Amino acid sequence: MVNHLSENDTSLLENSFEEWEENAEKCLRNEAFDYIARGSGAEVTMKANVEAFQKWRIRPRVLRDVSERDLSVSLFGHTFSSPLLFAPIGVQAIVYPQGELASAKAASEMGSLFITSSASSFSMEEIAAEMEDSPRWFQLYCSLDDSVTKSLVQRAEACGYSAIVITVDTPMLGFREADLRNGYSPLEEAKGIGNYITDPAFCKLLTKFPQEDLSEAIQKQVDIIDKPGLTWKDIEKVRTYTRLPILLKGIVHPYDAKLALDYNVDGLIVSNHGGRQLDSAISSLDALVEIQKVIDGRIPVLVDGGVRRGTDVIKALALGAKAVLVGRPYVYGLTKGKTGVKRVIQHILDETDVTMALSGTRSVEEIDSSLLVKVN
């Protein structure tokens, strides 16, 4: 396993998710921390995401010669150094001034896939420039205005993003009590507007250029970023905009997984939006088990939600995930900039590597459900 940190940084790897979260809470404004850390409603879904991993125990094999291990995975013709991907998270400038530029650079230096959010603080082109030739996907919120959706997709393809991830579980924002209590929206602070104020289709909807009247641009983004009328026809429409693979993020029902096959979607990300949308929803890991039965290997299925440790990564892979997205942990690390992001990801990767060895597996391809036992 390659360590991507300098010798001076390795002493800082002895952190847990709980410590990263605690450090972030100390560093950030209360409303910014709550925006990242909290979920919707009573946060039942958010807690369920984490608890679902505890239902499974690893049953290791021994005497397997694990002196060499390979964490690489392949998706859509590209090989990545590990199965750990950077989940799309917007408004990262509320955590660190350079926001996604720092996170994307960290991913680039570690050979990891970075997924850029539609609601990023910086434009997709600026983020791409930080990453140079490193792998990246673009996450799309289908806009209320189709011209903006089309423009965002085609810009992403033009600047080197190799897949489009359509988030489908956000026809409107979830009932996020902490944000309501704080009266807080980072969009209203213009922290997630980077892709919009640089978009020609979006700017055509304004009476003034964003440089002249940013408040109008902020309000317009708030008005059109979500599409309550989103349907499968919109997925078909996005297909006409691009030749890139299309993944749907936010699938938790097996019937929707079956429809995704019918609509020739290229991949799925099983996700409940980190517990930030529908409260009391099924956990991502539990949904993964059901969806895998429907998909049966026909398209890649990834999972997002509740991943805190390397043991979680191994469990998700054993239950059929092709790769695993990590979100909150790396954003907590972002309070320390690029170096903090790398520390967090490296820590999870190191534990993944050790867990693989101690479970008696030498590659991601060898990890399957025989490695796990479900417990009450």
Side-chain angles (χ1 to χ4, degrees), residues 15 36 59 70 99 132 213 244 293 303 313 341 355 361 376:
N15 289 332
I36 298 159
R59 180 164 54 190
D70 180 9
E132 299 179 347
D213 187 355
L244 296 177
K293 295 176 183 177
V303 69
V313 175
V341 173
T355 303
T361 52
N376 294 324

Side-chain angles (χ1 to χ4, degrees), residues 79-144:
T79 299
F80 307 111
S81 61
S82 84
L84 198 62
L85 315 182
F86 283 63
I89 297 178
V91 303
Q92 291 188 27
I94 70 172
V95 179
Y96 186 74
Q98 295 304 302
E100 296 86 0
L101 300 181
S103 297
K105 190 67 173 177
S108 175
E109 292 181 1
M110 301 187 78
S112 299
L113 177 79
F114 186 82
I115 308 177
T116 295
S117 169
S118 282
S120 56
S121 303
F122 298 87
S123 73
M124 65 180 84
E125 290 85 1
E126 291 174 297
I127 295 167
E130 285 293 320
M131 300 193 71
E132 299 179 347
D133 294 330
S134 296
R136 53 189 178 269
W137 294 349
F138 181 73
Q139 176 269 331
L140 174 72
Y141 287 118
C142 287
S143 172
L144 198 60

Side-chain angles (χ1 to χ4, degrees), residues 173-199:
L173 283 183
F175 196 78
R176 303 174 187 174
E177 291 183 353
D179 296 340
L180 293 170
R181 179 176 62 251
N182 294 330
Y184 181 67
S185 168
L187 292 185
E188 293 177 0
E189 289 186 345
K191 298 298 186 182
I193 204 169
N195 285 315
Y196 290 83
I197 59 174
T198 55
D199 191 82

Side-chain angles (χ1 to χ4, degrees), residues 41-263:
E43 300 186 337
V44 172
T45 304
M46 187 174 76
K47 294 169 187 173
N49 276 347
V50 176
E51 291 168 355
F53 285 96
Q54 305 313 312
K55 298 176 185 177
W56 298 93
R57 297 289 186 270
I58 297 170
R59 180 164 54 190
R61 297 291 305 277
V62 296
L63 304 174
R64 303 269 286 178
D65 185 4
V66 293
S67 54
E68 294 185 6
R69 299 168 305 283
D70 180 9
L71 266 67
S72 65
V73 296
S74 295
L75 290 165
F76 307 115
H78 298 270
T79 299
F80 307 111
S81 61
S82 84
L84 198 62
L85 315 182
F86 283 63
I89 297 178
V91 303
Q92 291 188 27
I94 70 172
V95 179
Y96 186 74
Q98 295 304 302
E100 296 86 0
L101 300 181
S103 297
K105 190 67 173 177
S108 175
E109 292 181 1
M110 301 187 78
S112 299
L113 177 79
F114 186 82
I115 308 177
T116 295
S117 169
S118 282
S120 56
S121 303
F122 298 87
S123 73
M124 65 180 84
E125 290 85 1
E126 291 174 297
I127 295 167
E130 285 293 320
M131 300 193 71
E132 299 179 347
D133 294 330
S134 296
R136 53 189 178 269
W137 294 349
F138 181 73
Q139 176 269 331
L140 174 72
Y141 287 118
C142 287
S143 172
L144 198 60
D145 189 288
D146 287 344
S147 69
V148 175
T149 298
K150 181 178 181 179
S151 182
L152 290 172
V153 169
Q154 293 183 342
R155 284 171 60 196
E157 184 169 359
C159 65
Y161 291 83
S162 57
I164 302 296
V165 176
I166 306 177
T167 294
V168 294
D169 60 1
T170 316
M172 60 181 64
L173 283 183
F175 196 78
R176 303 174 187 174
E177 291 183 353
D179 296 340
L180 293 170
R181 179 176 62 251
N182 294 330
Y184 181 67
S185 168
L187 292 185
E188 293 177 0
E189 289 186 345
K191 298 298 186 182
I193 204 169
N195 285 315
Y196 290 83
I197 59 174
T198 55
D199 191 82
F202 177 80
C203 290
K204 285 182 180 178
L205 304 178
L206 307 175
T207 61
K208 296 180 181 178
F209 290 114
Q211 298 89 337
E212 299 175 47
D213 187 355
L214 185 59
S215 62
E216 183 192 11
I218 292 171
Q219 187 58 54
K220 180 61 70 174
Q221 183 195 19
V222 170
D223 291 343
I224 72 168
I225 191 170
D226 297 321
K227 187 172 187 176
L230 190 69
T231 70
W232 289 97
K233 290 184 178 179
D234 292 285
I235 307 304
E236 288 184 310
K237 195 176 294 184
V238 173
R239 175 71 72 190
T240 68
Y241 301 157
T242 182
R243 296 169 295 176
L244 296 177
I246 293 174
L247 298 89
L248 302 186
K249 179 177 181 289
I251 300 292
V252 295
H253 200 296
Y255 289 171
D256 288 332
K258 174 62 170 63
L259 282 170
L261 291 175
D262 294 341
Y263 279 85

